[in-house]
Amino acid sequence: MPELTSFSCTQGFYYEFADQIVKKSVVTLEKLRYGWSCGGGFKDFLFDDDGQVIVYPRLRDLRVFDSSDDKGELMTDKSIVPFPALRRLGMYSSCVFKDDTLFRGFNGTLACLDIGLRRDIVDISQTYKVFSQGACPNLSHIIVRYDVRRGLTLSYDEYIEAAFGLVSLATQSMTINGFIPYQHIKGVIPTCPYLDNIQILILKTSLSLLEVLDIFKYFPHVTDFGCSFRRIDSELVAIQDKLIPSHLGTRYSRFVSRLKCWHMYYSGGASVEEMAVLFVTLAVLCPSFTYVDEWKNNREAYGSKIEYILSSGLYDQHAKRLGNLFKSR
């Protein structure tokens, strides 16, 4: 068998000799995915037949999904660096080691961190200062997942504090993946430093528009934002109530005027009419707005509603820009 550059062993497949296949390609392997139900456990990929830690000198992309037998009982000599060239780390599992072995040596190369925040991962990162300020100077994107399995779950406040604590790594883009109630987000972020580093913020949780606008105050440089909406606030629903109250525009415009892109993951039960109102509201509040993906992906559903709103006369001063933004192509 030739030496491999990529190997994937994920859920639904059982590779009896998967670890041996990988070990024959240690020098050439650049991408490795390991998932559920794949034999003996991820630790089998980390040690040779003599019990020594294997070094993967060219591995750039490592993604480890849940491995039921990885108990976090192993430690290694401080000089051992298994993945010195890693650019992307996806860790959705308990840590095989109870020290920082898996996080050593790639600080200067790591560009993307995709991690399920469990108590053992947080404890290791804090004890060994794995993600301390400036530790990963080339890290540009963080995806943080709320992991609720195996009794290692963090409280909402612990999770948000740990997640935004990672921003000290000088990242530009952060995705918070998991349903986190707004009150916990609002309660923690005012105490988190370095939030002005973030330019792209994706909160995969359900919020109201006014909650979103309130959160913006803490992220002064965000130009690309995403979330899902739990509801459309009552003051923004009816056209006859003048969808953009003056106090709303003046209160939040300086926080949202820089937005260029808004990702909406689902409407949270809002009607087509309410979502159309929301699109126009956002476009008025954000003068540099260029993209709303829920609109782009469902033009037929929203097109006539938006046309009706724009013809109401309330938006004449914005008519040309809004018309260009929402025109069909």
Short mmCIF file of all heavy atoms in Angstrom, two decimals, residues 10 182 242 272:
data_model
loop_
_atom_site.label_atom_id
_atom_site.label_comp_id
_atom_site.label_asym_id
_atom_site.label_seq_id
_atom_site.Cartn_x
_atom_site.Cartn_y
_atom_site.Cartn_z
N THR A 10 -14.41 7.28 10.20
CA THR A 10 -15.50 7.95 10.90
C THR A 10 -16.66 7.02 11.15
O THR A 10 -16.63 5.85 10.82
CB THR A 10 -15.98 9.17 10.08
OG1 THR A 10 -16.32 8.74 8.77
CG2 THR A 10 -14.90 10.22 10.00
N TYR A 182 -29.91 34.11 26.21
CA TYR A 182 -29.38 35.46 26.09
C TYR A 182 -28.87 36.01 27.41
O TYR A 182 -27.83 36.68 27.46
CB TYR A 182 -30.47 36.37 25.52
CG TYR A 182 -30.16 37.84 25.63
CD1 TYR A 182 -29.16 38.43 24.85
CD2 TYR A 182 -30.88 38.66 26.51
CE1 TYR A 182 -28.89 39.79 24.94
CE2 TYR A 182 -30.61 40.01 26.61
CZ TYR A 182 -29.61 40.57 25.83
OH TYR A 182 -29.33 41.90 25.93
N LYS A 242 -44.62 52.37 11.87
CA LYS A 242 -43.35 52.93 11.43
C LYS A 242 -42.19 52.10 11.96
O LYS A 242 -41.61 52.37 12.99
CB LYS A 242 -43.22 54.39 11.85
CG LYS A 242 -44.30 55.23 11.21
CD LYS A 242 -43.95 56.71 11.20
CE LYS A 242 -45.00 57.45 10.41
NZ LYS A 242 -44.71 58.89 10.30
N VAL A 272 -43.54 34.98 7.31
CA VAL A 272 -42.87 35.57 6.15
C VAL A 272 -42.96 37.10 6.23
O VAL A 272 -41.99 37.81 5.93
CB VAL A 272 -43.51 35.07 4.85
CG1 VAL A 272 -42.96 35.83 3.64
CG2 VAL A 272 -43.27 33.58 4.68
#
